[in-house]
Every structure is written in C-alpha cells, then in structure tokens.
Amino acid sequence: MDSHMLNDSLQFSKHSCICIITLKTPKPHISCLSIHNTLLYAASINEINVFDLSNYTHIDKFAANDPSSGFIKSIAFHNNKVFTAHQDCKIRVWQISPCKEHHLLCTLPTVKDRFRHFLLPRNYVNVRRHKKRLWIEHWDTVSGLAVHGMLIYSVSWDKSFKIWNVENNRCLESVLAHQDAVNTVVVSDNGTVYTGSADGLIRVWKKVGKERKHSLVYTLEKHKSTINALALNGDGSVLFSGGCDRSIMVWERKEVDENEHQMVFAEALWGHAGAILCLMTGEHWLVSGSSDRTVRIWQKGKMEGYSCMVVLEGHERPVKSLVAVAGGGAYNNGGSSLSICSGSLDGEIKVWKVSAET
C-alpha cells in the first residue's frame, strides 16, 4: 500500500493522539522518510538508517562511500531497489538483500550511459557561462524522486526534471521545467507529472498525442513564494501544494472543456505559523508538517472544505518529512486508528497513533 494514502474512513470528530515511540538516528538533521513494506528509511545528512516497524528496531545503516555526496534529499523504491537523491547531483541505486542489507549497485547516470553520450556534441547543454554538461546529468542538487511504473522521475535545483528507466538505468528524457530550483514532483496514475518550484509555480506535464516527449500543458499559480511539497490523493483528482508562504493550496480536477480536465484552485488552508515542508494525503484527509515544528491533520467536511482536526506537537525543530504506516504492529487496519511517522531536523522520528471514531 502506498505510504502516502491510507484508510479514508477515519473521522476525527472525536480523537486521541499519542506519541507511542521516538526513534533517533546517530546523526541529526533528518531530511526525508520513506517506507517500503514494514521498513522505515530515514535519511540523516549523508546516511540512511533502516528501522523495522514491526518491532521498532534499527536493522541497517548505509551510505555512499564518497564523503562529498552531501545531504540525501529523497528516497524511492522499485521492487527490491532503493533510489536515493543526493546533494552531489547524483542518484544512487541500492539493492535490498534477502537479509535486508543494502548494497550499492550503481550511480545515475551510469558510466555506460555516459559513454554512450559523451562523444557527440549535440548531447551537451549549456548549464552556466562557459560550462557544458551532458543532458543526462543533473548539475545541481537532486531534490526529489517519484516512481511510476517502470520509470523514475527526478527533479533538481538545476531547474529540470529527468526520466529514467528503472531496469536498465538509462536516462530517457530531460525537461527544463522552471525558472528556478525544482523542489518536488508527483506523478498521477495516468502519467501526468506535477512539478513544484522555488519560482512559486506548479507546472503540469503530459505526453500529448503521439509525442515521445513531455510538454507543458498548463501552469498553476497561487502561492506567493517557494513551493516545497506536493501530494496527490488516491485517484489523482485532488492536488495539494505547500509553500514557504505558510499556506496549503487545494486543487481539484474539473472539466474545463469537452473531454479536457484540469486542476483548478479550490481553497487555501491556513494554520501553520511557518513554511509547509511536507505533505501526505488520503481521499478525505491531509497531513502537513511545517517549520513551526508541528504536524497538522486536516479532514474534508461533507458539505465544505478541509478543517484542521488535530495538531501534533513535540518536535524541537522543523518537521521535514511524513509517512503513514501500513501493516505490522504500528497500524490498525480496522478503521479506527492511523499511525504517522514524522521526521525532524532535531534528529528524531516520532511515531504517532491517532485514534478516532468512525
């Protein structure tokens, strides 16, 4: 089950919220969390710690051999592979062994892919004055990853997004997406790509007709500053965006022309006292983390928009990442509770149990 989308029957009119355990990493500054089956992956500076959520034990730690790899910005999965996005402009691919250990397979772009491209001048693009790079390379921090089918999408502070084949690790496409750093990416089930940027814009990309490349189909503009986080609900009909302006914008898919649908602005959610840094969503609820050190749970009303139902406090520094937990001992699938992991720059991962009446 997708860790960003869990039980949608929860009603928070009556609720209790407790932190059932706090996990700590050896290094502070948790930059992202991600879940694969019952394993929780926590990126802390340049290393990843792995916890088994069935018993909350630490089972592995792995990191790039290169000390200059910098911060890890995002983690994604495809089968038994782990993809990590790094500050040194690279994506690293790791193999999960049967005993749940992690071994580096390769770095993207691979040496083989570079060799295929480096001879031809047309494969180089200008990145700065008097400086060129292969189009298959990111030349600034890789800030986000998203997996869809057999493809992995990467976004970067170099203003682009790239698409990679998860089996042969080749870069298939590169798109100059924004006028400033791209911070976040989500992909809907139909392959629509949404990118959020420091330029304050959300851009929507599709393959139109029989085109092999992605084209910009429209732009969403409502935030007054940097966009840090995007999240889609289960069927891709609602998009949420969070920014440094402290707002969460809600966008809903509407028919704007015959056989044409677009996301249109529905409402703005206010309540956080700092920048929105992370989001996750279900069909009728949303969870947000902020630089104000809190986590908020929002629920959609039957006749109106979203309202904040729960505020979770306890972190001493900004909340950088959120995941919802399915399976194991941490999540009750009976519809009466929800478990959330929040990761903070204070180096702590708090596991919250939110109990509610249906």
Side-chain angles (χ1 to χ4, degrees), residues 98-118:
C99 59
K100 299 179 182 178
E101 294 180 344
H102 298 77
H103 307 282
L104 182 64
L105 289 177
C106 62
T107 299
L108 305 184
T110 62
V111 173
K112 185 177 180 180
D113 209 9
R114 290 175 188 271
F115 184 76
R116 290 177 61 246
H117 289 87
F118 88 100

Side-chain angles (χ1 to χ4, degrees), residues 3-4 6 33-35 40 280 321-325 339-342:
S3 65
H4 292 279
L6 287 178
L33 302 176
S34 195
I35 283 182
L40 172 67
M280 69 176 184
S321 189
L322 295 163
V323 289
V325 184
S339 289
I340 298 166
C341 297
S342 58

Side-chain angles (χ1 to χ4, degrees), residues 3-19:
S3 65
H4 292 279
M5 292 170 285
L6 287 178
N7 195 330
D8 297 324
S9 64
L10 290 171
Q11 302 293 321
F12 294 102
S13 56
K14 296 181 180 179
H15 55 265
S16 64
C17 313
I18 57 170
C19 177

Side-chain angles (χ1 to χ4, degrees), residues 68-350:
S68 66
S69 60
F71 284 88
I72 298 167
K73 307 293 286 185
S74 185
I75 305 170
F77 305 94
H78 182 266
N79 295 333
N80 60 348
K81 289 183 180 179
V82 184
F83 297 83
T84 54
H86 295 256
Q87 193 176 4
D88 67 356
C89 317
K90 297 174 183 177
I91 301 165
R92 289 175 171 82
V93 186
W94 311 79
Q95 182 82 36
I96 307 174
S97 72
C99 59
K100 299 179 182 178
E101 294 180 344
H102 298 77
H103 307 282
L104 182 64
L105 289 177
C106 62
T107 299
L108 305 184
T110 62
V111 173
K112 185 177 180 180
D113 209 9
R114 290 175 188 271
F115 184 76
R116 290 177 61 246
H117 289 87
F118 88 100
L119 285 177
L120 295 180
R122 71 167 182 264
N123 288 328
Y124 290 82
V125 294
N126 292 313
V127 297
R128 292 189 180 96
R129 190 177 182 183
H130 307 307
K131 188 172 184 180
K132 293 186 176 183
R133 298 287 289 269
L134 289 171
W135 68 265
I136 63 174
E137 298 177 276
H138 282 299
W139 55 268
D140 206 338
T141 297
V142 183
S143 51
L145 300 172
V147 173
H148 175 67
M150 300 302 295
L151 303 174
I152 184 164
Y153 298 74
S154 61
V155 294
S156 168
W157 291 354
D158 66 11
K159 310 174 188 178
S160 77
F161 74 86
K162 300 185 189 297
I163 304 173
W164 312 76
N165 183 302
V166 298
E167 288 197 327
N168 60 25
N169 299 315
R170 287 185 180 179
C171 186
L172 306 176
E173 184 180 354
S174 179
V175 178
L176 182 59
H178 289 266
Q179 297 300 311
D180 208 335
V182 188
N183 294 323
T184 178
V185 60
V186 291
V187 184
S188 69
D189 286 345
N190 67 3
T192 301
V193 181
Y194 300 86
T195 55
S197 168
D199 62 15
L201 303 177
I202 302 166
R203 288 190 165 158
V204 186
W205 309 84
K206 290 181 181 179
K207 289 184 177 180
V208 180
K210 296 182 179 180
E211 291 184 11
R212 297 177 60 187
K213 304 291 185 181
H214 283 78
S215 299
L216 177 65
V217 289
Y218 59 94
T219 299
L220 303 175
E221 187 172 0
K222 204 72 178 177
H223 286 280
K224 299 185 183 300
S225 63
T226 295
I227 295 170
N228 297 315
L230 297 174
L232 281 168
N233 73 337
D235 62 5
S237 62
V238 183
L239 173 72
F240 302 89
S241 57
C244 286
D245 57 8
R246 298 180 290 117
S247 72
I248 302 168
M249 301 296 176
V250 184
W251 312 83
E252 296 180 351
R253 189 173 60 203
K254 302 288 185 183
E255 187 172 358
V256 295
D257 203 350
E258 188 175 357
N259 297 323
E260 183 180 351
H261 292 77
Q262 288 188 8
M263 290 291 183
V264 298
F265 175 72
E267 62 175 316
L269 308 181
W270 298 91
H272 281 293
I276 312 301
L277 302 180
C278 49
L279 297 169
M280 69 176 184
T281 182
E283 192 66 28
H284 300 295
W285 55 266
L286 170 73
V287 185
S288 57
S290 168
S291 63
D292 68 7
R293 302 174 294 178
T294 69
V295 175
R296 286 177 177 256
I297 301 178
W298 311 76
Q299 187 167 20
K300 185 175 178 61
K302 293 182 180 179
M303 302 298 294
E304 52 189 25
Y306 285 81
S307 300
C308 181
M309 308 303 293
V310 183
V311 180
L312 306 178
E313 299 178 321
H315 283 293
E316 296 181 358
R317 296 195 65 193
V319 179
K320 280 286 292 180
S321 189
L322 295 163
V323 289
V325 184
Y331 178 66
N332 175 0
N333 201 32
S336 62
S337 67
L338 170 69
S339 289
I340 298 166
C341 297
S342 58
S344 167
L345 298 185
D346 61 14
E348 293 187 345
I349 305 161
K350 292 188 180 295

